[in-house]
Amino acid sequence: MVHQQLCQQLEGYEITQEFSPEWVAIEEAIARNEAATKLDGANGWIRRENFVLNALLEQ
């Protein structure tokens, strides 16, 4: 299988918030998301993401 590397196609808010992909452990992702929920203008979907990450961690 050949893998093709593509450029990111970020949404406007992702550009503003300087999103970039990074591999981290699930526990670190949860901790970072928890910290981000306390910031002004936090994305509402962070809680949903943590719900899924916690479910994966329990598996």
Side-chain angles (χ1 to χ4, degrees):
M1 174 182 265
V2 176
H3 295 276
Q4 181 181 8
Q5 185 173 1
L6 303 174
C7 294
Q8 288 189 81
Q9 296 178 353
L10 301 176
E11 301 286 327
Y13 75 92
E14 294 171 328
I15 294 167
T16 301
Q17 295 178 25
E18 300 178 353
F19 278 30
S20 63
E22 182 178 349
W23 289 104
V24 297
I26 290 177
E27 297 87 351
E28 185 175 348
I30 292 168
R32 288 185 186 189
N33 283 348
E34 287 296 327
T37 62
K38 295 170 178 62
L39 300 174
D40 288 336
N43 297 315
W45 46 260
I46 293 175
R47 285 187 176 81
R48 179 197 66 212
E49 296 295 322
N50 265 7
F51 177 83
V52 172
L53 290 170
N54 279 299
L56 290 170
L57 191 59
E58 292 174 6
Q59 296 294 323

